[in-house]
């Protein structure tokens, strides 16, 4: 702590480097300073520390409620997938074979040179894959569960860990093991499955906006970015503060591909037999990274109140032993009153930090952890029935003295105002850095203008005729990809009208049905 | 459904076989009939279906609250443990090496005979173990987190999946992959770590009693049954309806063993360096099995209301189309009123089953799923403002007609009465089958008396002097083990006094400090 304070003295911000100086490194330092997660000794796997995990728990609780309200039930399927199951869908296995953890033995035994080795006598007949996603193993269960149209729709969700062997990892954004939810549904008709796919995309967009305070584009992926085995992949795409895009969730219309691979058949009302239509959709701990990169500043994390583990941190300022008991009693009573208030479905969460460390260090620690409200209380506040309130969305030194009763009465309103403020700020930022681009020269200028590796242009809205070669060339030359063919998430934006209507590809001149979103991305 | 009904007609119970006929098979059939779980195509791994998973979610929520109230925070650690980490604690690796899934490759590649094989080019330098438990990987993190006495106690819990390669598996009771929580704590003193160990054992016992309605012995394991690497292992032991014991949770005092293996050192107040004292404790999806085997009957599952996903199932009985709308409206209003009631921290959970299947089939389905209250409502009930209520703890055919208002007003009281009734019944059963055994002949008679493989005597309270050879011989000869050296969970039982005071081992005549609990076990 003391070291950070000292560092702050010279650097003027709690986080070094700042966003402008080195955005990727700033991100790592924010996560570290907030004590959210750290790299583990296991390649590419992270340890999610209590503050980071509590944020994930809040994300889980809110999403889980939304899933249940839309008729889904939770279940749990095996961690391991037999290799032959993965192989049932050709594109699918092609997509995941290159990055999967393979279990080959079920026992260790003393090796010839001391130490333990996988026991050759306990080699598995068929290797098991640690699930990178569960379409094939869940498909096998669905094939048993679905017999008749009466069994449909089947609406299942799973909260689980998955493993994809990543070569370059970054805390929360891309890790070998990550936590996620994966929805899997089966339907009697294509229309119904497509409706489900879009409904869950909408749930994700609503969650991002209303809880994470992150505005997102909703749209369809191009063929090259489709989930392996899907007919159509839809996504939500958010803009980070370095103007790069981050894919924050996906929803796949799988057609009958996986139903055929797994044998999910049902008897229709007219007693014919058909394959079901399936979907899958998921979001992961990546959302935590998206939230950090959307709102954190050069002093550390800034938490949207609806996902904050603690809304109000109470910081006693003791001035000698004789008033200590009074300060403590005042704080305990205040904490109880605050906890009696409700922010949505949650109570207002209050923590009291009584640790015996320097007051300034304590303040900065909670600034870096992004607690929405910090409240200092000393003997004079007790005497006057006041509280000294600092908001995380205002400059760190700005503090307002309020009568205690007024603060209690207003706390929910303040938190809601902060929540709305974060969304407004993030929306304004995205809108400012989303440009309609009319030709190739402007496209190039947009993504190269700054000559600065940390600034990435933003979102370019341009016509493109669906040519995969153009897409590949843009990726190669500018590291720019089509993030999505947008269908929602932009109502009211200044450039919203530009997303409607036909035109011609700015690269080939071919007819284009609508502008798409181009950006560099995570 | 129809098939089950038919079967019921001849068998007189909804579950075939009955408990008396074949207890192990009865258990499988109860789980199947309640649609809680099924075997998966992956050896030893189960699929937890929505009804089973909802029970686990309820278990999780209640335990999680208890853990947080006792100061613990959730975090998440890697699924994979490098082999060398497991090897750091000699007893520990010895205990788990024989049953662990080993990841050796991180990619599949096309094999010589078609199909994919683990890519020899992607062989891991060091094999990774899929965690069977996380002491060693969490220990590595704790070693970083703990520097000074100010960092202690460190109180962490993880909800996770773990894998132990089991040869004989049974749904919920013993599966290769299972879900659990594992608490891991570090302390500055032995006394504090021992206090934590016992505190969490107490939390488990309280949870078993107050939520699962299962009375448990709390006690210490003998040396032969200790967790690999622990100094002392404590457990809760419950009696199933076949009179066998089931270990339902464990809490380990690890001494400084894992702190030394992982390097968890701290600077004391006097600036010396010491190793921390650690504990770990866990319960798993096995609790679901324990609950089934404690309360289910020959008609299927019986759920303790506090863990039931649905408390009240409303079953419309339509008599022609003209009254259908009235019945539906009456039911919707009733459902809303019931949901306004609270059972502990939860609202009363109500489901309406409007499926167009035979009323009798529907009734039996909910009997087999163990829903506490079934309520039938037809046009005559609507007219008279009545409801027809059936309780799962009463004979299936027993139904009581109640005025709607009275039922709403009493529903929580009824559910609490059912919860208490299940605990009372399970306690009476355990107490009846717990016998004080004074000599070897009585011991033999107790465990062999019935000559029936499904009945296992019960709990024998006998003096034993701690001789491991005797223990091994009893296990070999009678399949009986010392379940625990009891320290609690028996106050008020008729034989409680017999657990206090010294005596002589009934096998060797050596001095014994107290009677211990012998039983056959799962």
């Amino acid at each position: 702590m003391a070291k950070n304070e000292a560092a702050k003295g010279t650097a003027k911000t709690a986080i070094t480097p700042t966003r402008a100086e080195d955005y990727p490194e700033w991100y790592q330092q924010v996560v570290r300073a907030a004590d959210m997660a750290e790299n583990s000794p296991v390649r590419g796997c992270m340890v999610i520390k209590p503050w980071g995990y509590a944020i994930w728990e809040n994300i889980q609780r809110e999403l889980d409620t939304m899933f249940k309200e839309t008729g889904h039930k939770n279940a749990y399927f095996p961690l391991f997938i037999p290799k032959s199951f993965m192989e049932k869908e050709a594109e699918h296995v092609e997509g995941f074979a290159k990055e999967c953890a393979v279990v080959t033995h079920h026992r260790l035994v003393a090796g010839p040179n001391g130490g333990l080795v996988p026991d050759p006598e306990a080699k598995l007949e068929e290797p098991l894959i640690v699930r990178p996603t569960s379409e094939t193993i869940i498909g096998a269960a669905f094939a048993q569960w679905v017999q008749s149209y009466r069994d449909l729709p089947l609406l299942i969700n799973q909260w689980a860990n998955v493993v994809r062997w990543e070569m370059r990892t970054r805390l929360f954004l891309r890790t070998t093991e990550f936590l996620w939810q994966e929805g899997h549904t089966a339907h009697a008709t294509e229309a119904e499955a497509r409706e489900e796919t879009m409904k869950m995309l909408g749930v994700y967009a609503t969650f991002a906006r209303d809880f994470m305070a992150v505005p997102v584009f909703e749209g369809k992926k191009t063929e090259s970015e489709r989930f392996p085995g899907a007919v159509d992949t839809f996504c939500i795409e958010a803009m980070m503060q370095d103007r790069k895009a981050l894919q924050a969730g996906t929803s796949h219309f799988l057609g009958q591909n996986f139903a055929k691979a797994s044998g999910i058949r049902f008897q229709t009302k007219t007693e014919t037999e058909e394959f079901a239509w399936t979907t899958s959709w998921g979001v992961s701990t990546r959302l935590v990274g998206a939230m950090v990169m959307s709102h954190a500043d050069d002093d550390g994390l800034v938490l949207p109140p609806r996902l904050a583990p603690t809304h109000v941190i109470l910081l006693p300022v003791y001035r000698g032993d004789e008033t200590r008991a009074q300060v403590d009693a005042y704080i305990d009573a205040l904490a109880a009153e605050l906890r009696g208030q409700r922010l949505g479905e949650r109570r207002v969460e209050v923590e009291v930090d009584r640790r015996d460390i320097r007051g300034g260090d304590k303040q900065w620690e909670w600034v870096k952890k992004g607690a929405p409200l910090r409240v200092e209380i000393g003997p004079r506040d007790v005497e006057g029935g006041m509280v000294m309130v600092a908001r995380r969305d205002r400059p760190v030194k700005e503090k307002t003295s309020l009568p205690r009763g007024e603060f209690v009465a207003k706390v929910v309103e303040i938190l809601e105002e902060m929540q709305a403020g974060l969304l407004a700020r993030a929306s304004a930022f995205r809108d400012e850095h989303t440009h309609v681009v009319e030709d190739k020269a402007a496209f190039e200028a947009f993504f190269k203008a700054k000559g600065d590796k940390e600034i990435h242009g933003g979102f370019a809205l341009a016509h493109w005729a669906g040519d995969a070669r153009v897409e590949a060339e843009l990726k190669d030359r500018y590291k720019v990809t089509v993030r999505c063919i947008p269908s929602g998430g932009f109502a009211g934006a200044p450039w919203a009208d530009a997303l409607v209507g036909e035109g011609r590809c700015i690269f080939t001149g071919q007819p284009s049905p609508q502008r798409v979103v181009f950006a560099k991305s995570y």
Side-chain angles (χ1 to χ4, degrees), chain A residues 14-62:
Chain A
I15 303 298
T16 310
T18 62
R19 284 166 290 183
E21 285 163 1
D22 184 345
Y23 191 85
E25 180 60 21
W26 162 84
Y27 171 76
Q28 302 285 347
Q29 293 305 326
V30 168
V31 170
R32 179 174 308 179
D35 209 23
M36 297 170 75
E38 64 188 24
N39 289 310
S40 81
V42 186
R43 223 197 114 284
C45 294
M46 66 176 163
V47 173
I48 308 181
K49 300 183 79 173
W51 191 249
Y53 197 82
I55 296 166
W56 176 241
E57 284 181 307
N58 287 342
I59 290 174
Q60 282 189 297
R61 193 187 47 246
E62 301 298 348

Side-chain angles (χ1 to χ4, degrees), chain A residues 244-307:
Chain A
K244 281 169 83 169
L246 186 128
Q247 175 179 301
T250 48
S251 184
H252 314 292
F253 169 64
L254 304 174
Q256 293 177 308
N257 294 351
F258 285 90
K260 286 177 181 168
S262 300
I264 311 173
R265 291 185 188 85
F266 70 99
Q267 199 159 51
T268 64
K269 281 186 192 177
T270 57
E271 302 207 340
T272 60
E273 196 180 68
E274 279 183 21
F275 285 108
W277 301 82
T278 69
T279 82
S280 67
W281 28 275
V283 295
S284 72
T285 32
R286 184 172 231 215
L287 290 182
V288 178
M291 196 195 65
V292 173
M293 290 212 295
S294 294
H295 303 303
D297 63 21
D298 295 337
D299 288 323
L301 191 58
V302 176
L303 283 170
R306 288 192 191 166
L307 295 178

Side-chain angles (χ1 to χ4, degrees), chain A residues 147-163:
Chain A
Q147 305 295 332
S148 141
Y149 69 91
R150 287 190 198 86
D151 302 320
L152 298 173
L154 183 55
L155 308 173
I156 297 290
N157 177 62
Q158 163 170 275
W159 291 96
N161 53 344
V162 285
V163 170

Side-chain angles (χ1 to χ4, degrees), chain A residues 385-387 400-411 413-414:
Chain A
M386 305 294 282
V387 292
T400 308
S401 186
L402 285 175
R404 164 183 163 165
E406 188 185 329
F407 177 61
V408 172
K410 271 193 176 172
V411 66
E413 188 186 322
I414 296 170

Side-chain angles (χ1 to χ4, degrees), chain A residues 448-460:
Chain A
K448 287 191 128 181
K450 307 290 172 185
D452 179 335
K453 76 178 158 71
E454 303 308 337
I455 301 296
H456 306 282
F459 288 174

Side-chain angles (χ1 to χ4, degrees), chain A residues 258-494:
Chain A
F258 285 90
K260 286 177 181 168
S262 300
I264 311 173
R265 291 185 188 85
F266 70 99
Q267 199 159 51
T268 64
K269 281 186 192 177
T270 57
E271 302 207 340
T272 60
E273 196 180 68
E274 279 183 21
F275 285 108
W277 301 82
T278 69
T279 82
S280 67
W281 28 275
V283 295
S284 72
T285 32
R286 184 172 231 215
L287 290 182
V288 178
M291 196 195 65
V292 173
M293 290 212 295
S294 294
H295 303 303
D297 63 21
D298 295 337
D299 288 323
L301 191 58
V302 176
L303 283 170
R306 288 192 191 166
L307 295 178
T310 300
H311 298 112
V312 184
I313 178 75
L314 300 179
L315 303 163
V317 181
Y318 301 120
R319 310 269 184 220
D321 283 345
E322 64 278 17
T323 51
R324 193 179 182 104
Q326 287 161 271
V327 169
D328 279 340
Y330 187 86
I331 282 183
D332 288 343
L334 175 62
E337 285 178 61
L338 290 168
R339 287 182 187 126
Q341 311 296 310
R342 293 191 87 82
L343 180 70
E345 292 295 304
R346 296 170 66 200
R347 70 173 192 185
V348 170
E349 292 292 347
V350 181
E351 206 172 320
V352 184
D353 186 349
R354 291 201 167 91
R355 286 174 306 158
D356 185 20
I357 59 171
R358 270 195 39 197
D361 293 349
K362 232 190 250 191
Q363 280 274 355
W364 277 106
E365 195 173 309
W366 290 103
V367 168
K368 289 183 285 184
K369 285 173 103 74
L373 296 171
R374 308 184 303 284
V375 180
E376 286 176 312
I377 289 152
R380 256 176 299 172
D381 300 296
V382 174
E383 234 171 79
M386 305 294 282
V387 292
M388 184 67 84
V389 180
R391 288 168 59 146
R392 185 61 184 86
D393 62 348
R394 300 276 170 81
V396 171
K397 303 279 178 195
E398 186 180 319
K399 296 175 188 179
T400 308
S401 186
L402 285 175
R404 164 183 163 165
E406 188 185 329
F407 177 61
V408 172
K410 271 193 176 172
V411 66
V412 172
E413 188 186 322
I414 296 170
L415 291 169
E416 290 286 18
E417 182 187 306
M418 292 175 76
Q419 179 83 29
L422 288 181
L423 177 61
R425 195 173 65 180
S427 298
F429 182 85
R430 180 192 71 164
D431 292 352
E432 181 189 344
H433 296 291
T434 300
H435 289 193
V436 177
V437 168
E438 300 288 16
D439 57 42
K440 198 176 161 181
F443 185 92
E444 185 161 300
F446 185 68
F447 285 112
K448 287 191 128 181
K450 307 290 172 185
D452 179 335
K453 76 178 158 71
E454 303 308 337
I455 301 296
H456 306 282
F459 288 174
L461 309 180
H463 278 291
W464 166 72
D467 187 327
R469 283 168 309 177
V470 170
E471 216 185 345
E473 195 190 319
L474 293 174
K475 189 171 180 178
D476 196 46
R477 186 176 294 183
Y478 308 109
K479 294 187 178 163
V480 169
T481 49
V482 178
R483 300 316 305 154
C484 69
I485 303 159
S487 55
F490 47 80

